[in-house]
Amino acid sequence: MKTSAASDEAIAELLRTWAPAQRWFAHKGVAVHVERVERTPLDEGGVAQLVALTVRAGDGDDAPRTVYSVPISVRPSPDPDLVAALVGELPDVDGAPAWIYDGPHDPTWTRALLTLVASEEGAGSRTVGVNGHSAEGGLPVPAGARTKVLTGEQSNTSIVVSADVGETPLIAKVFRVLSAGDNPDVVVQTALADAGCARVPRPAGWVDGRWTAPDGSAAAGHLAHVTEFLAGSQDAWRVATAAVGAGEDFTEQARELGRATAEVHAVLATELPTEPATPARLAAVADGLLERVAWACAAVPQLHEVAAAARERVDAVRHVQDAPPLQRVHGDYHLGQVLHSDARGWVLLDFEGEPLRPLAERSLPDLALRDVAGMLRSFDYAASTVADPGSWGPDCRTAFLDGYTAVVGADPRTGGQAVLLAALELDKALYEVVYEARNRPDWLRIPLDAVHRLLRPASPDPS
Ligand SMILES: Nc1ncnc2c1ncn2[C@@H]1O[C@H](COP(=O)(O)OP(=O)(O)O)[C@@H](O)[C@H]1O
Ligand SMILES: O=P(O)(O)O[C@H]1O[C@H](CO)[C@@H](O[C@H]2O[C@H](CO)[C@@H](O)[C@H](O)[C@H]2O)[C@H](O)[C@H]1O
């Protein structure tokens, strides 16, 4: 397929107005300027394509630039089955009239992506292109599969690929913001699966590729990740909020989740690089936490009154003597990142790390207690969904920490570990204040109350 500059321009104009209305588009409410369009065909006919769309969000040359991955299908005639997925109609794309569809909703697009994974083939030119990879011993792509796009509040786009009897259904996650470098979702989950850890979905493969970074340099990284789909599973947020809503005890499940978390941490510590927690390394962690206090206080003025106490709490990390080595972690761990399946128990998902952090930072070894802190915050969120949860939140907290301790052998509520955990919990709550202020102002009260509670001079740990 030969792509022309005029066609690229027409597609750029179409996407400029369509993309900002999509769930995955992060820069809502500002003027959007398309600075570059790079199109790569995924199949021979060029129906399935991947667009790397560089946008400047906001007026002025210093406005932030982001490269979005936009899967499209380019069809020579309208498809009545895809009416709801039509992006627009163009008189001339690469020499013929074209109907442009939102790729994930077009089974042809997903089939092309899966074919690349199964065949381990590449597509596209030498400078802009994609390559499929099958995971070692990975799951096969089901034959003649039907596809369905998940509709949840997702920052990426996931397509479920159903399977016939005897085959395993898959889920293909298409990363929407392209950053150069390995995506931890692929690297970490693959390492866990390769080590035989059953606490993550089994892998099928991934797609990586090349594009041009906003500054004009050549960039390469992961574009999509394909894994086992756990049909019939429920995410832990749903299970936990249903329990608290019905006044049911959740401590057994929380204890088991603590065990599962510790198991995953143990495998990550042996399979991926670690770093000793030297005084210099801990000082760097403390500096990062202090930066986050400043960032959160600048973003949300209600935090100003707690800034000094918050700085003191996180700075204490610097002086911890018995910190365990830093290692790869989940990075954005909360109840919504865990599934419960009857056959497998708790299964962890989405190892991409916090979406508000740069990708390179999310791939560095970190304190495993960051994940523990994330899940403790999540029990507090779940408890906050009912008017009077009683001791439901603190009970889950105690049970989770008991389960974690039973596997790790060291209790994060004691000694220097308690100092680390208290700092990380506060750090997560500050992140959440900013996240909620930007995304769900009605939820802001939950992390804001937590920040005040965590900073009360009494014990930082209510359990
Ligand atoms: N392997 C899977 N099996 C079943 N459901 C899944 C699987 N992976 C993801 N999901 C569902 O899709 C949702 C979003 O997936 P996630 O990887 O967290 O995407 P994002 O990075 O866009 O948040 C999950 O909360 C879960 O409900
Ligand atoms: O799952 P994402 O990677 O998109 O994570 C972001 O969104 C989460 C909300 O969907 C947010 O999580 C916060 O709210 C949860 C309840 O909806 C709660 O369980 C978490 O503990 C709380 O942090 C997450 O912080 C954000 O990065």
Side-chain angles (χ1 to χ4, degrees), residues 251 254-255 257-259 261 333 371-373 375-376 379 395-405:
T251 52
R255 187 170 296 108
L257 186 54
R259 300 182 73 93
T261 307
Y333 200 43
D371 290 343
V372 173
M375 194 52 78
L376 295 181
F379 289 127
D395 290 348
C396 287
R397 178 188 178 91
T398 304
F400 178 82
L401 288 169
D402 286 348
Y404 191 82
T405 304

Side-chain angles (χ1 to χ4, degrees), residues 150 152-158 160 170-171 173-175 185 189 201-202 227-235 238 336-339 347 349-352:
L150 288 186
E153 287 290 293
Q154 261 194 281
S155 35
N156 297 297
T157 299
S158 293
V160 176
L170 301 179
I171 182 165
K173 173 150 94 167
V174 180
F175 301 124
D185 196 45
Q189 280 200 55
R202 287 177 291 162
T227 61
E228 168 190 25
F229 177 71
L230 293 156
S233 59
Q234 271 206 315
D235 77 66
R238 237 200 250 203
Q337 310 281 39
V338 183
L339 292 179
V347 175
L349 299 176
D350 195 6
F351 287 75
E352 264 195 286

